[in-house]
């Protein structure tokens, strides 16, 4: 047996479909299932895992604590930090357009290479900007503007490609294995962060030319790893979005024309009942309410934890990256456990129980001060707690989204969810930045806790497929 059936979520608007390799005549299926060659699945999943490792290194230099510290060294204001966090979320508004454009193409792979390849090239401009700054050709304010501009453009490109990429991966990963696979994949990325984040932090803080020049070196390495991550996608079996949504009108005329040997051929047979549109899918809309409120609540406070340590506590970046590695380590250890547990009891229950704990975390920051006990004990424990709980929230949110979105026009559903979460997160970051600027962190952390608890209420009304 050289193929494996992949279970799909069944609902009133479920489609009956079947995928076969090229040069093979499609036949009608009587159950909601997809058949992919086992070897193609194994190769694709391995390539996706290696992709996550290189992508983690790429993200290390183009976001996170190192980019935050870079702006601290440039004496950026809290408003700039708010923009740093809100831009990647706000540009998710463009995801529905990206999903629509991707459905007009004939290859998920080529679309991904075009979009994400361009974004990675643009970061080379910031590397050149760092060189010019160290030579005195540009000042800190110009470099801040350049950084935010590149961040905006690259994230806009990412918004055009994210829904297509997630839809591509959703077609490859069997539904019954999603918890375990994404847990393992995310663990690989967390292990990479565990090793690379503290090393990069030490490298930047001890670079002989200064921290800004050191960041430039790390940025260049990150960009190179970004290109390697794109190279891994060559080994993932491709999907033709157009064929994914073709409707077979005549069962006697169901042959699919030949394409490249690495491209999946997919035909959908129309269901007996009329498909429920996106905005009439009450289960999906309730998920949007939860997801939007949660992203709003989390991002009121989350972007300012690093600022608190770097600015208020005046900790060296190497210390902050060590805490980041503890977070990544806890994330790594818990991801596989959460993945297996999600497959057994469902994602919704985990989101409710762990969500309550995560909601209280901002209050714990209020007791952190500048003393030996806090720096050596409470901050490490707090980051371990953050890493372990974030693993559950991120994994289960992703799995819930994959399970609720129907197969037909799946990328559109992903794009809408990302757009709603992006706008909500950006609004939360903007609110948090203004409160931090004029009212202090106490109000930010208390407000974030209250809204996080409120955001969990819609979860009680969501029906998780298969649970």
């Amino acid at each position: 047996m050289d193929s494996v059936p992949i279970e799909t979520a069944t609902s009133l608007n479920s489609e009956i479909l079947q995928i076969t390799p090229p040069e093979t005549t499609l036949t009608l299926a009587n159950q909601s299932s997809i058949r992919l060659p086992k070897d193609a699945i194994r190769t694709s999943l391995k390539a996706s895992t290696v992709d996550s490792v290189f992508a983690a290194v790429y993200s290390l230099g183009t976001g996170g604590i190192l980019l935050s510290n870079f702006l601290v060294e440039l004496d950026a204001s809290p408003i700039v930090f708010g923009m740093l966090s809100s831009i990647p979320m706000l540009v998710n508004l463009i995801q529905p357009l990206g999903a629509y454009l991707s459905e007009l193409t004939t290859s998920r792979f080529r679309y991904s290479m075009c979009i994400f390849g361009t974004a990675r090239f643009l970061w080379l401009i910031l590397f050149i900007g760092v060189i010019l700054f160290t030579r005195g050709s540009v000042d800190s304010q110009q470099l801040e503007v350049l950084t935010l501009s590149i961040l905006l453009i690259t994230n806009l490109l990412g918004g055009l490609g994210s829904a297509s990429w997630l839809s591509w991966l959703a077609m490859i990963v069997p539904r019954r294995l999603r918890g375990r696979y994404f847990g393992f994949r995310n663990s690989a990325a967390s292990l990479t962060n565990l090793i690379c984040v503290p090393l990069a932090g030490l490298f930047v803080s001890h670079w002989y030319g200064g921290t800004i020049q050191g960041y430039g070196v790390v940025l260049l390495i990150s960009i190179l790893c970004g290109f390697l991550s794109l190279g891994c996608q060559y080994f993932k079996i491709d999907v033709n979005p157009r064929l994914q949504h073709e409707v077979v009108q005549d069962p006697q005329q169901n042959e699919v024309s030949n394409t490249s040997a690495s491209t999946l051929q997919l035909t959908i047979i129309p269901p007996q009942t009329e498909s429920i549109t996106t905005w009439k899918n009450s289960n999906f809309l309730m998920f949007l309410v939860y997801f939007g409120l949660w992203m709003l609540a989390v991002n009121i406070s989350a972007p300012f934890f690093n600022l608190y340590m770097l600015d208020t506590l005046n900790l060296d970046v190497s210390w902050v990256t060590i805490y980041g590695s503890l977070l990544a380590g806890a994330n790594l250890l818990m991801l596989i456990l959460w993945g297996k547990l999600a497959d057994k009891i469902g994602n919704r229950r985990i989101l409710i129980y762990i969500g309550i704990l995560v909601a209280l975390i901002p209050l714990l920051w209020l007791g952190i001060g500048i003393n030996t006990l806090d720096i050596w004990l409470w901050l490490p424990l707090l980051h371990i707690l953050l890493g372990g709980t974030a693993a559950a929230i991120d994994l289960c949110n992703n799995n819930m989204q994959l399970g609720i979105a129907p197969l037909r026009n799946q990328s559109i559903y992903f794009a809408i969810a990302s757009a709603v979460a992006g706008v909500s997160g950006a609004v939360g970051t903007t609110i948090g930045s203004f409160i931090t600027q004029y009212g202090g962190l106490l109000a930010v952390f208390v407000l974030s806790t209250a809204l996080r608890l409120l955001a969990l209420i819609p979860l009680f009304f969501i029906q998780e497929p298969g649970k």
Side-chain angles (χ1 to χ4, degrees):
M1 184 175 182
D2 60 354
S3 64
V4 58
I6 302 177
E7 298 176 4
T8 58
T10 57
S11 61
L12 290 177
N13 63 325
S14 63
E15 293 84 14
I16 303 175
L17 54 85
Q18 187 178 47
I19 298 180
T20 62
E23 303 183 10
T24 302
T25 302
L26 295 176
T27 58
L28 300 181
N30 294 319
Q31 69 276 358
S32 182
S33 65
I34 302 174
R35 287 190 172 272
L36 293 176
K38 285 185 178 180
D39 290 341
I41 293 177
R42 293 192 188 99
T43 302
S44 298
L45 297 186
K46 289 178 181 177
S48 180
T49 303
V50 178
D51 173 16
S52 72
V53 172
F54 287 118
V57 180
Y58 167 72
S59 299
L60 177 67
T62 57
I65 182 59
L66 292 183
L67 186 58
S68 297
N69 182 72
F70 174 64
L71 292 175
V72 167
E73 294 295 329
L74 296 176
D75 295 322
S77 67
I79 300 297
V80 173
F81 274 91
M83 294 177 66
L84 176 68
S85 300
S86 63
I87 285 175
M89 293 179 287
L90 187 59
V91 297
N92 282 326
L93 275 173
I94 205 172
Q95 283 213 27
L97 174 62
Y100 172 75
L101 294 176
S102 71
E103 300 306 311
L104 300 179
T105 65
T106 58
S107 169
R108 297 285 188 199
F109 169 73
R110 290 196 295 271
Y111 184 80
S112 178
M113 292 294 290
C114 178
I115 294 295
F116 294 112
T118 303
R120 280 153 172 74
F121 268 113
L122 289 176
W123 281 104
L124 290 172
I125 299 176
L126 181 58
F127 173 71
I128 296 173
V130 172
I131 295 176
L132 294 176
F133 176 80
T134 57
R135 294 181 178 179
S137 300
V138 297
D139 58 30
S140 60
Q141 187 173 7
Q142 291 173 326
L143 195 54
E144 286 179 27
V145 173
L146 178 63
T147 302
L148 293 177
S149 299
I150 293 175
L151 187 71
L152 174 62
I153 297 172
T154 55
N155 279 275
L156 281 172
L157 289 171
L160 291 175
S162 295
S164 176
W165 178 87
L166 185 58
S167 181
W168 184 12
L169 198 58
M171 294 298 298
I172 296 174
V173 182
R175 186 175 70 86
R176 67 180 183 274
L177 300 177
R178 281 174 183 166
R180 278 169 283 180
Y181 173 71
F182 283 112
F184 177 76
R185 185 180 187 276
N186 293 347
S187 294
S190 295
L191 178 60
T192 304
N193 285 324
L194 176 65
I195 297 172
C196 294
V197 169
L199 290 178
L202 290 171
F203 181 88
V204 169
S205 61
H206 293 87
W207 181 255
Y208 70 92
T211 55
I212 292 181
Q213 190 179 102
Y215 169 75
V217 177
V218 172
L219 177 62
L220 179 61
I221 296 173
S222 298
I223 295 170
L224 294 176
C225 288
F227 288 123
L228 290 176
S229 77
L230 287 180
C232 293
Q233 297 186 18
Y234 174 80
F235 300 96
K236 291 164 57 177
I237 190 165
D238 199 4
V239 172
N240 186 332
R242 288 189 176 184
L243 292 179
Q244 181 176 341
H245 302 298
E246 276 188 2
V247 177
V248 178
Q249 301 293 347
D250 185 354
Q252 302 302 322
Q253 298 176 356
N254 55 1
E255 290 191 5
V256 178
S257 59
N258 298 335
T259 57
S260 63
S262 63
T263 304
L264 286 175
Q265 304 301 320
L266 169 55
T267 303
I268 298 180
I269 299 172
Q272 296 284 333
T273 58
E274 183 180 357
S275 295
I276 302 174
T277 62
T278 302
W279 299 111
K280 292 182 180 179
N281 189 328
S282 59
N283 204 37
F284 177 72
L285 291 179
M286 188 59 66
F287 175 79
L288 289 183
V289 173
Y290 152 72
F291 204 31
L293 286 175
W294 181 259
M295 293 301 293
L296 171 69
V298 167
N299 285 284
I300 283 179
S301 61
F304 304 101
F305 295 151
N306 286 337
L307 177 62
Y308 180 75
M309 290 186 289
L310 291 169
D311 190 27
T312 305
L313 299 182
N314 198 27
L315 295 177
D316 185 80
V317 65
S318 60
W319 274 102
V320 179
T321 53
I322 289 174
Y323 295 145
S325 69
L326 292 176
L327 188 151
N331 196 284
L332 167 67
L333 293 175
M334 295 300 296
L335 268 172
I336 297 178
L337 172 64
W338 292 128
K340 292 181 179 179
L341 188 61
D343 287 337
K344 291 182 179 179
I345 69 172
N347 299 281
R348 189 175 67 95
R349 291 183 182 178
I350 296 176
L351 287 174
I352 292 173
Y353 298 141
I354 301 301
I356 295 174
L357 179 59
V358 173
L360 301 176
I361 287 179
L363 298 180
L364 301 179
W365 282 88
L366 298 177
I368 301 295
I370 308 176
N371 57 71
T372 304
L373 181 63
D374 288 346
I375 292 175
W376 286 91
L377 179 61
W378 295 121
L379 273 175
L381 290 177
L382 185 56
H383 280 81
I384 291 173
L385 177 62
L386 280 168
T389 54
I393 298 297
D394 293 342
L395 178 67
C396 293
N397 276 337
N398 182 70
N399 288 344
M400 281 278 286
Q401 186 178 171
L402 292 175
I404 291 175
L407 288 173
R408 187 173 182 84
N409 295 321
Q410 197 173 52
S411 63
I412 301 295
Y413 282 80
F414 296 154
I416 292 173
S418 296
V420 170
V423 172
S424 301
V427 171
T429 300
T430 303
I431 294 173
S433 63
F434 278 103
I435 295 177
T436 301
Q437 180 88 2
Y438 302 109
L441 289 173
L442 173 62
V444 168
F445 293 160
V446 172
L447 178 61
S448 180
T449 294
L451 291 179
R452 290 183 190 198
L453 291 172
L454 179 65
L456 296 176
I457 296 177
L459 281 174
F460 290 94
F461 303 97
I462 296 176
Q463 294 180 355
E464 183 178 0
K467 300 297 178 183

